[in-house]
Amino acid sequence: MLRRGDLIVEQFYAHSTERADKSDWQTLKDHLIAVGELAASKASVFGGEEMARVAGLLHDLGKYTDEFQRRIRGEGVRVDHATWGAKIASEKYGPVGQLMAYGIAGHHAGLANGRDNGKRTSLNNRMKNDLPNLLDHWRTEILLPDIINPPVCFKTRPDNMHFQLAFYARMLFSCLVDGDFLDTENFYRLTEKTKPERIVDYPSLKALRKRLDAHFRSFQSKSKVDSIRGEVLNHVRSRAQEDTGLFSLNVPTGGGKTLTSLAFALDHAIHHGLRRIIYVIPFTSIVEQNAAVFRQALGDLGDEAVLEHHSAFIDNPEESREAKDKLRLAMENWEPPIIVTTAVQFFESLFASRPSRCRKLHNVAGSVVILDEAQTLPLKLLRPCMAAMDELALNYQSSLVLCTATQPALRVEDEFKRGLKNVRELAPFPQRLQDDLQRVKISYIGSQTDEQLAVEMAGCEQVLCIVNNRRHARALFESISRLPGARHLTTLMCAKHRSEELAQIRDMLNADEPCRLVSTSLIEAGVDIDFPRVLRAEAGLDSVAQAAGRCNREGQNPVDSSLVKVFEVGSDWSTPPELEQYAQSARAILRQYGENALSLEAIRAYFQELYWQKGDQTLDTYNLLGLVEAGRQDNIPFELLDEKFRMIESAMVPVIIPFDGDARNALERLRYTERCGAIARQLQPYLVQIPDRALKELANVGAVQPVQPDRFGDQFMELVNMDLYDKRYGLSWSDSYYVNPKHAVI
């Protein structure tokens, strides 16, 4: 689709056979000025308005060429219209212009590396290429300042300065790209009259706080735990007037962190004039759950104020096309006041190079970012994540709250090399809070065979056993399947199936019926469920704490009878390699601290042990920060950063399970549609992820088939042999990968 600068110039040429005179170029000038002003307004929150404005003025400078005008007339001429602006910026403004040049050159294709070619030609090589001569019109039409000064408020870190500059260049790129898209979108809306209006009048943060306060007033305290949650809420809100920066909220599982953190964020944002709240969640499976909690708490403003942005977002089939289009527009640049997203979406965007992913980044500035379960950040990318968090707080007027029940030891005070500084704890007396909210007793019971685990579960009417992979969960369930109330949860069940199972399990627990559940770690991802006893296979201490959060959750039972037993798996089920390091560190802490293994002291010791064992280099496995510092300003490896920064490296592929009538109806529509987006999102709850090898074997025997292969290829694979999907086990296949205990499928 041609952009506004193309179309307007094309319209003039449709009525003229001669080369355009000065008045004909006025529309291109208007586009450049409009983009410059939009970009400047978006960069003003971090003091980058002057650089962003000039980037907007220069981004389409290459359209002032005869060659580009020949292309507009329909000639088959390829013209690079972005590099001229980058070249002018670099030559005229030196190092400051170099930072602008990356975004100007990449505003269509994306940010390239400085000197080293990747899939994109490097910025340096692009600026060395022969470019068509610029027409003189631009010098009188586009008025550039003689000098551009860097923001006076920019604070530098001597040991991380080039990372800071790379981050700044990406933020400028975000402002430029969003400004360009918005001006083009406005033009199409005015000329075609078919585009939906972008929502700009969202509920104010003050209005949202008023609704949240009303929700809190309606809440009735029914237990000691409820009273503690209220005390935590009041104390945390009393800290909202503190200066922006880094905070932690260290509250045990079940302590009410979700709404407490939202209340603090609203109070803090209103006091400091911040713009929005971004809630970052580690697992896609609980984004919708937390968003639903926020919407309910915000009453009639919830639907309008809260935006979910994650890969599994489902369109409401009852919504109009216009409503869906407005939702899509909101997801493009994160303008609503409350964003609920995943850690993958958030952090990968901060290291991205593509315009579509970077476009929203400027709206992270001037926001409160709540990082839920901050301890789940992947160790291999921990250093880059910390650098990004620190930079947002230092130079982009954002406050970040590390919200967790097991606070990772990432501060300088925790003896973490190059750790975070000035992280302020919001919770009242964290150790006392840990003591007051202690609802379980932890013990380490050593190696356990499946036969021993089955005996343990037989001796308890209601018990949850969590293991580390799907094969083990199935084998253990089979060993107890004849016991009353035996149930099984696994990611080999589609999400819709798991939701139905969980509803039945909650009913059994509430009715005091026997319920013996075997599950993978999926049960720890924010699932609100309450067992009197929990067994947990060895994993990280943070996972043990999450498992403990499923035991005596509301504090209704005596602590001495609410047991969490951690065990080492028997010889048939080795700990998955990716968990072994975590389990090893946790094992040492469990043996040292015993029943106090979830104390603040023990958790701090666990993370110190974990980070020490990993070593500084493995906390930035791909040496991303080192590459940025080595490349300096003229060789920022933007494309390489995008390629290497992957929070999830998965070789798993999805299969659609026609689990119920809704799934079958959606599949039927998918067979005949030309546009798959909305239907694909409706099918998200019916996906099961399996290894690529298993998918190929299922396809070879005709058990799975592509839906509409002529149009979508093998993008959508449907299970057509439902004999392979069992109500107890989910999806099964005969692949040796599945039955070999040496392999772990989490």
Side-chain angles (χ1 to χ4, degrees):
M1 181 175 71
L2 295 175
R3 293 184 180 276
R4 178 182 169 189
D6 305 329
L7 276 179
I8 294 179
V9 175
E10 182 179 26
Q11 287 175 338
F12 276 102
Y13 271 101
H15 302 286
S16 175
T17 58
E18 300 178 359
R19 198 172 78 175
D21 61 25
K22 184 174 181 180
S23 63
D24 295 323
W25 288 98
Q26 188 68 37
T27 50
L28 177 55
K29 170 189 172 184
D30 287 346
H31 173 63
L32 298 181
I33 291 174
V35 173
E37 292 306 313
L38 283 167
S41 69
K42 296 175 185 311
S44 62
V45 70
F46 56 89
E49 54 264 56
E50 189 173 10
M51 292 176 70
R53 180 180 291 107
V54 173
L57 290 173
L58 292 174
H59 80 288
D60 276 353
L61 197 65
K63 292 181 180 180
Y64 283 101
T65 60
D66 281 327
E67 286 80 354
F68 187 80
Q69 296 310 308
R70 286 165 52 203
R71 187 179 81 80
I72 288 294
R73 294 191 189 98
E75 296 184 31
V77 180
R78 296 193 63 179
V79 183
D80 172 3
H81 71 270
T83 303
W84 255 123
K87 190 172 182 177
I88 295 293
S90 185
E91 291 174 351
K92 185 175 179 65
Y93 300 115
V96 169
Q98 176 84 21
L99 287 182
M100 297 157 52
Y102 285 101
I104 294 169
H107 74 273
H108 285 304
L111 296 167
N113 298 329
R115 288 196 302 268
D116 305 321
N117 287 338
K119 294 179 181 178
R120 308 181 186 110
T121 303
S122 72
L123 176 64
N124 184 59
N125 286 339
R126 282 182 65 174
M127 292 199 295
K128 286 181 178 178
N129 288 341
D130 289 333
L131 298 172
N133 292 328
L134 283 177
L135 298 172
D136 287 338
H137 293 86
W138 84 270
R139 296 186 184 279
T140 55
E141 304 260 324
I142 305 303
L143 303 180
L144 300 175
D146 292 331
I147 60 170
I148 298 177
N149 296 311
V152 294
C153 57
F154 192 83
K155 305 180 183 113
T156 60
R157 299 274 197 219
D159 59 347
N160 224 21
M161 185 175 67
H162 289 100
F163 171 81
Q164 292 184 283
L165 295 177
F167 200 92
Y168 195 84
R170 192 181 286 104
M171 279 291 193
L172 287 175
F173 176 60
S174 170
C175 298
L176 171 61
V177 168
D178 196 28
D180 191 22
F181 271 103
L182 288 174
D183 188 58
T184 302
E185 182 184 295
N186 290 337
F187 173 75
Y188 276 103
R189 185 178 295 116
L190 290 171
T191 56
E192 295 182 4
K193 309 292 186 184
T194 58
K195 300 294 181 182
E197 289 286 342
R198 183 177 289 272
I199 298 174
V200 294
D201 188 22
Y202 289 101
S204 69
L205 296 182
K206 288 183 178 180
L208 295 177
R209 181 172 65 179
K210 185 176 179 180
R211 294 298 194 280
L212 183 62
D213 287 343
H215 173 78
F216 286 139
R217 286 194 297 271
S218 68
F219 185 74
Q220 303 262 337
S221 179
K222 299 177 182 177
S223 65
K224 177 186 175 183
V225 172
D226 286 340
S227 298
I228 294 172
R229 289 170 181 158
E231 293 173 11
V232 171
L233 172 67
N234 292 333
H235 181 87
V236 171
R237 295 188 76 169
S238 73
R239 304 281 302 279
Q241 295 187 14
E242 292 200 17
D243 291 342
T244 59
L246 296 171
F247 299 90
S248 61
L249 179 57
N250 191 356
V251 177
T253 302
K257 291 189 299 294
T258 301
L259 287 182
T260 294
S261 60
L262 177 62
F264 168 81
L266 285 170
D267 290 345
H268 187 69
I270 290 167
H271 180 76
H272 290 285
L274 305 182
R275 303 182 296 171
R276 64 186 46 80
I277 292 111
I278 302 172
Y279 206 95
V280 181
I281 296 175
F283 308 109
T284 301
S285 58
I286 56 173
V287 169
E288 293 175 34
Q289 173 183 306
N290 281 46
V293 170
F294 291 157
R295 289 192 182 103
Q296 180 183 13
L298 296 172
D300 60 332
L301 298 181
D303 285 340
E304 191 177 352
V306 180
L307 170 70
E308 297 171 49
H309 190 181
H310 56 95
S311 61
F313 190 84
I314 305 164
D315 286 333
N316 181 350
E318 302 300 322
E319 285 183 337
S320 67
R321 175 68 178 273
E322 181 182 7
K324 292 176 182 177
D325 283 343
K326 288 184 177 181
L327 174 63
R328 175 184 56 78
L329 293 175
M331 291 173 69
E332 288 172 352
N333 63 356
W334 283 9
E335 289 184 337
I338 298 178
I339 311 292
V340 185
T341 190
T342 62
V344 171
Q345 175 70 239
F346 182 78
F347 282 102
E348 288 190 0
S349 294
L350 288 173
F351 287 85
S353 64
R354 288 179 288 128
S356 58
R357 296 209 73 176
C358 292
R359 180 179 174 184
K360 58 185 173 289
L361 293 184
H362 65 86
N363 274 330
V364 178
S367 300
V368 183
V369 180
I370 301 168
L371 294 164
D372 191 33
E373 306 299 348
Q375 80 284 351
T376 60
L377 292 174
L379 292 181
K380 65 181 181 179
L381 295 171
L382 187 58
R383 283 282 184 207
C385 287
M386 290 174 62
M389 291 156 53
D390 184 66
E391 188 61 11
L392 283 170
L394 187 66
N395 284 312
Y396 295 89
Q397 317 308 314
S398 294
S399 285
L400 289 88
V401 183
L402 283 68
C403 190
T404 177
T406 49
Q407 196 64 254
L410 300 177
R411 303 172 303 167
V412 171
E413 298 92 320
D414 300 316
E415 301 176 15
F416 191 90
K417 184 180 177 182
R418 292 198 296 173
L420 299 174
K421 298 178 181 179
N422 303 319
V423 182
R424 289 156 286 173
E425 176 56 54
L426 295 173
F429 308 108
Q431 185 57 65
R432 192 189 75 188
L433 200 58
Q434 289 273 349
D435 296 339
D436 290 345
L437 284 174
Q438 183 181 359
R439 289 156 292 173
V440 302
K441 295 192 76 170
I442 302 282
S443 63
Y444 180 71
I445 59 176
S447 180
Q448 297 286 300
T449 65
D450 281 6
E451 290 76 14
Q452 290 172 308
L453 291 172
V455 170
E456 177 84 19
M457 296 185 77
C460 187
E461 290 283 287
Q462 294 185 338
V463 58
L464 165 64
C465 183
I466 305 172
V467 295
N468 288 324
N469 65 65
R470 304 190 294 199
R471 295 167 297 100
H472 191 186
R474 174 166 177 164
L476 183 57
F477 171 72
E478 287 175 342
S479 71
I480 68 159
S481 59
R482 295 184 181 277
L483 293 175
R487 306 300 290 239
H488 176 222
L489 279 178
T490 169
T491 51
L492 287 172
M493 299 169 174
C494 65
K496 185 65 178 295
H497 185 181
R498 295 199 304 268
S499 295
E500 292 182 2
E501 289 291 310
L502 279 167
Q504 294 175 23
I505 289 166
R506 291 189 183 98
D507 289 342
M508 295 163 70
L509 292 171
N510 292 335
D512 289 327
E513 296 173 0
C515 184
R516 298 173 169 95
L517 173 61
V518 179
S519 177
T520 61
S521 58
L522 71 89
I523 195 89
E524 297 169 353
V527 177
D528 187 2
I529 203 161
D530 194 347
F531 280 86
R533 182 171 301 184
V534 172
L535 308 174
R536 181 57 168 98
E538 279 187 328
L541 195 62
D542 53 319
S543 294
V544 173
Q546 289 296 324
R550 314 310 130 192
C551 182
N552 195 22
R553 189 171 180 84
E554 296 300 324
Q556 302 290 343
N557 301 318
V559 172
D560 288 344
S561 63
S562 303
L563 306 178
V564 177
K565 299 183 178 183
V566 182
F567 61 91
E568 181 183 352
V569 294
S571 58
D572 287 342
W573 306 106
S574 59
T575 301
E578 61 269 29
L579 295 183
E580 179 55 43
Q581 190 79 62
Y582 298 87
Q584 182 180 341
S585 297
R587 191 181 306 137
I589 299 302
L590 285 161
R591 287 171 174 164
Q592 179 181 352
Y593 286 88
E595 292 183 358
N596 296 316
L598 297 184
S599 66
L600 295 183
E601 181 184 358
I603 290 168
R604 183 171 180 267
Y606 163 74
F607 281 109
Q608 287 177 326
E609 170 81 7
L610 181 65
Y611 299 150
W612 176 81
Q613 284 190 24
K614 278 289 183 184
D616 193 58
Q617 184 175 352
T618 54
L619 300 180
D620 183 4
T621 299
Y622 305 112
N623 191 31
L624 299 183
L625 297 182
L627 290 171
V628 173
E629 293 302 314
R632 306 181 70 83
Q633 189 165 328
D634 64 341
N635 192 24
I636 301 173
F638 283 113
E639 190 175 357
L640 184 62
L641 291 172
D642 190 346
E643 176 188 340
K644 294 295 186 183
F645 193 96
R646 288 289 177 269
M647 298 191 74
I648 298 175
E649 293 181 5
S650 174
M652 309 290 273
V653 290
V655 175
I656 304 168
I657 309 298
F659 179 72
D660 58 20
D662 289 342
R664 291 189 289 273
N665 290 336
L667 276 166
E668 193 62 22
R669 295 198 305 276
L670 188 60
R671 293 186 218 287
Y672 301 103
T673 188
E674 294 187 2
R675 301 180 64 181
C676 63
I679 300 173
R681 285 186 285 272
Q682 291 170 33
L683 286 167
Q684 285 282 351
Y686 300 99
L687 299 182
V688 169
Q689 302 283 342
I690 64 174
D692 182 65
R693 177 180 168 185
L695 180 69
K696 289 175 181 175
E697 292 201 6
L698 290 170
N700 286 339
V701 297
V704 298
Q705 293 179 0
V707 181
Q708 204 182 148
D710 291 342
R711 179 171 294 277
F712 302 126
D714 59 359
Q715 179 180 355
F716 302 105
M717 299 297 290
E718 172 194 3
L719 181 68
V720 293
N721 182 359
M722 282 299 287
D723 289 341
L724 297 179
Y725 193 87
D726 188 277
K727 281 282 190 177
R728 297 167 299 169
Y729 307 121
L731 182 62
S732 302
W733 63 91
S734 59
D735 183 9
S736 61
Y737 188 100
Y738 175 74
V739 299
N740 186 346
K742 292 182 181 179
H743 295 286
V745 183
I746 301 300

